[in-house]
Amino acid sequence: MDEKGKARVLALILGGGKGTRLYPLTKERSKPSVPFGGKYRIVDIPISNCINSGYKKIYLLTQFNSASLHLHISNSYNFDRFSGGFVEILAAEQTLEHSGWYEGTADAVRKNFIHFKSQHPTHYIILSGDQLYRMDLHDFVEQHIASGADVSIATTAVNRHDASGFGIMKIDTDKRIIEFMEKPAKNLNIDDWKIPQISRGDLPPEKEYLASMGIYIFNASVMEEMLNNDYTDFGKEIIPVAIKTKKINSYIFNGYWEDIGTIKSFYDATIALTNINPPFNFYDEVEPIYTKMRNLPPSKINEAQIKSTLTAEGCVITRANINCSVIGIRTIIESGSKLDGVITMGSDFYEDAETKADKITKGFPLMGIGRNCNIARTIIDKNSSIGDNCSINVSGKTYDDGDHGIFYSADGIIVIRKGAVVPAGTVI
């Protein structure tokens, strides 16, 4: 604690690895900088959780495709000089002590202690850069301090089927974590790992096990001690060792939480935003999700049928039929096109008249979605050009998961690559 008895909390957001499970959205950008929800980036979620909780000293640790992330952060998060707040990216760098890449989450933190210590933190809060949730991190810190724990782990209740996909925690009646199991086999009996009744509160009855959310609070001195070794990963190495030697507390989070690290989970979480009562709600005036201010004009809708759809700023939509879709910034949709369950990430710029004329002369499609297209269950990455009369993911044809040239297939979802040009009349 500082001289006023307040915790000095330093937030560390882990940018993750190469993001292979989100490929091709991560081909030219890191996971945290993948566009989300029409106008945001995934990284805006954990940063906003920190700001809304009063924690404005934030480091973002990353090493892959970080250029777009740097640009987004520098254009979005500028605190006034009196607040002392910052959002700073720490990419892997060569020093006299370290010469290699980050080898894991713990290694990334260890290699940056020289930067962290200058802030004199009493506590570190470690967050993931690819999760969707709202959490009162201040309450998390307060419960951590009150528990007297060395480390606290945010946990979420899951059913037995889902438990096999997570690290599972066993707690006692004081919510102290006493054992950890990584992804228990589906046929393994783990009945004795069920949440004690006294700790359940109002958790859904079918969710009987606690899964780690990959969100941690460490006392600063404990963090330094636990990383004084060669371990590289928090979840697989540091946390299991800490459970055996330190007092570890469970913070049970009973809200919406989704790991959006795969194409399917990313698609499902994004489309869920179109629900009447979405599980993740952007419409909170008290605790907004922050992002870059673009000063774009309002979207212009020229006689369209739009149902259960989010439309970001700067779009021009003409006589289209759009259902359960998320339309990103500056998206142009021409007349006669039909979209159902489509995510467009929009464009970084508008094409000028000269560029349009040159494209038309050469027979190239303009940026956006052309006339009379029929598109379903598709993610269209930024700056793509879809020609007239294209049909995407509506013919009933299926594709193996993987790369197919101008598009990528994953779990029945088609992903049109960033900057792709899809010729008129194409059927995918």
Side-chain angles (χ1 to χ4, degrees), residues 313-317 327-333 344-347 350 368-369:
E313 307 102 316
C315 301
V316 180
I317 301 172
I327 309 302
I329 56 171
R330 301 187 187 89
T331 297
I332 310 298
I333 304 176
T344 74
M345 293 184 172
S347 302
Y350 293 113
I369 299 172

Side-chain angles (χ1 to χ4, degrees), residues 103-169:
E103 296 176 26
T105 54
D107 186 59
V109 173
R110 181 188 299 113
K111 287 178 176 174
N112 284 292
F113 269 135
I114 188 173
H115 303 294
F116 305 152
K117 289 180 180 179
S118 65
Q119 301 298 324
H120 307 291
T122 59
H123 298 82
Y124 293 97
I125 185 164
I126 299 177
L127 308 169
S128 173
D130 59 357
Q131 297 176 347
L132 183 61
Y133 63 100
R134 284 182 180 274
M135 182 186 290
D136 183 351
L137 300 178
H138 179 72
D139 182 66
F140 187 11
V141 171
E142 290 295 300
Q143 287 201 31
H144 167 78
I145 294 171
S147 72
D150 299 306
V151 183
S152 287
I153 302 174
T155 56
T156 184
V158 296
N159 60 35
R160 179 61 187 91
H161 177 270
D162 293 339
S164 295
F166 293 94
I168 300 301
M169 307 289 176

Side-chain angles (χ1 to χ4, degrees), residues 25-44:
L25 302 181
T26 52
K27 183 176 184 291
E28 300 177 18
R29 56 170 81 92
S30 61
K31 280 196 294 184
S33 60
V34 171
F36 179 77
K39 59 179 287 186
Y40 305 92
R41 305 274 183 149
I42 294 176
V43 75
D44 292 326

Side-chain angles (χ1 to χ4, degrees), residues 65 87 100 229 252 278 298 335 410 422:
N65 289 332
V87 181
N229 48 52
I252 302 176
S335 62
V422 181

Side-chain angles (χ1 to χ4, degrees), residues 287-308:
E287 296 186 344
I289 302 299
Y290 300 96
T291 193
K292 177 183 176 181
M293 297 291 291
R294 296 181 176 85
N295 298 317
L296 286 171
S299 286
K300 186 177 183 182
I301 314 297
N302 299 315
E303 192 184 334
Q305 283 189 321
I306 300 178
K307 179 182 177 182
S308 301

Side-chain angles (χ1 to χ4, degrees), residues 200-215:
R200 288 195 55 83
D202 57 353
L203 294 174
E206 72 278 5
K207 295 185 176 183
E208 299 180 301
Y209 303 92
L210 285 180
S212 171
M213 297 169 64
I215 299 173

